Amino acid sequence: MKGNKSVFVISLILIIGFVFCYIFFSGIGKATFKNEFWEEADIEAISQIELIRGSDSKQILFSKEHEIKVFVDTISEAKIKQIKESASKINESYWITIWIAGDRKFGLRIDDNQILSVFNYEGSENNANLYELKDQSIYKYIENLF
């Protein structure tokens, strides 16, 4: 009888361990800007993308289909991780507004501390999500546009 209880307890611990590991490790490394953001936006309907550098308000406007596609493709594969808050100091920010069919739909702010803020101007539950960029490639790409 004692042997059956031990086998049961060990089996239960192993099953709980496998379930925990599956849940914990299945999401790591899979979050990209594309699967967190672009699924909500209709990429084909983007009419323009406006970029503004925070320090001097210099502005870039992409309105040609090719320019929009290059920008979207470049930032789509950015690896990100959702976070609750950022306490890091910010020296520079870039504001990006996504216009769909002539209406302002989404806003992004990318800070030099590798924080990405996503705003939905239509007020969905994803109205102001924060993400941490896993590498500096997207920030550097946007910085080099200016």
Side-chain angles (χ1 to χ4, degrees):
M1 191 72 154
K2 213 175 198 184
N4 288 341
K5 281 186 180 180
S6 296
V7 171
F8 175 76
V9 170
I10 291 172
S11 298
L12 185 61
I13 291 171
L14 287 174
I15 290 171
I16 291 171
F18 284 124
V19 170
F20 175 78
C21 287
Y22 175 77
I23 291 170
F24 182 75
F25 291 112
S26 65
I28 291 179
K30 294 184 180 177
T32 62
F33 189 77
K34 180 179 182 178
N35 61 15
E36 290 289 321
F37 177 73
W38 289 132
E39 290 177 359
E40 208 174 310
D42 183 5
I43 297 173
E44 302 300 320
I46 294 175
S47 53
Q48 68 182 22
I49 298 175
E50 175 186 46
L51 290 86
I52 300 172
R53 183 168 49 197
S55 61
D56 61 2
S57 298
K58 184 175 180 182
Q59 191 174 25
I60 296 174
L61 184 66
F62 295 134
S63 56
K64 295 179 181 165
E65 187 177 328
H66 172 70
E67 296 171 331
I68 292 170
K69 182 174 177 9
V70 168
F71 183 83
V72 168
D73 288 347
T74 302
I75 68 170
S76 286
E77 297 307 317
K79 302 246 185 292
I80 59 176
K81 176 184 175 186
Q82 190 163 13
I83 59 174
K84 300 249 184 227
E85 61 185 54
S86 168
S88 300
K89 185 177 186 237
I90 301 169
N91 294 315
E92 182 68 84
S93 293
Y94 293 92
W95 295 83
I96 303 163
T97 305
I98 311 291
W99 299 76
I100 297 179
D103 293 325
R104 183 175 75 162
K105 297 291 182 181
F106 298 98
L108 311 170
R109 187 184 78 216
I110 298 177
D111 301 324
D112 59 356
N113 65 355
Q114 293 302 103
I115 302 299
L116 167 69
S117 305
V118 179
F119 305 95
N120 183 336
Y121 291 115
E122 294 180 341
S124 78
E125 71 262 4
N126 296 331
N127 194 34
N129 288 329
L130 287 177
Y131 298 91
E132 178 183 40
L133 294 167
K134 294 308 216 177
D135 65 43
Q136 292 192 357
S137 62
I138 298 307
Y139 182 82
K140 293 213 180 281
Y141 165 71
I142 292 171
E143 189 176 44
N144 288 332
L145 292 172
F146 289 88

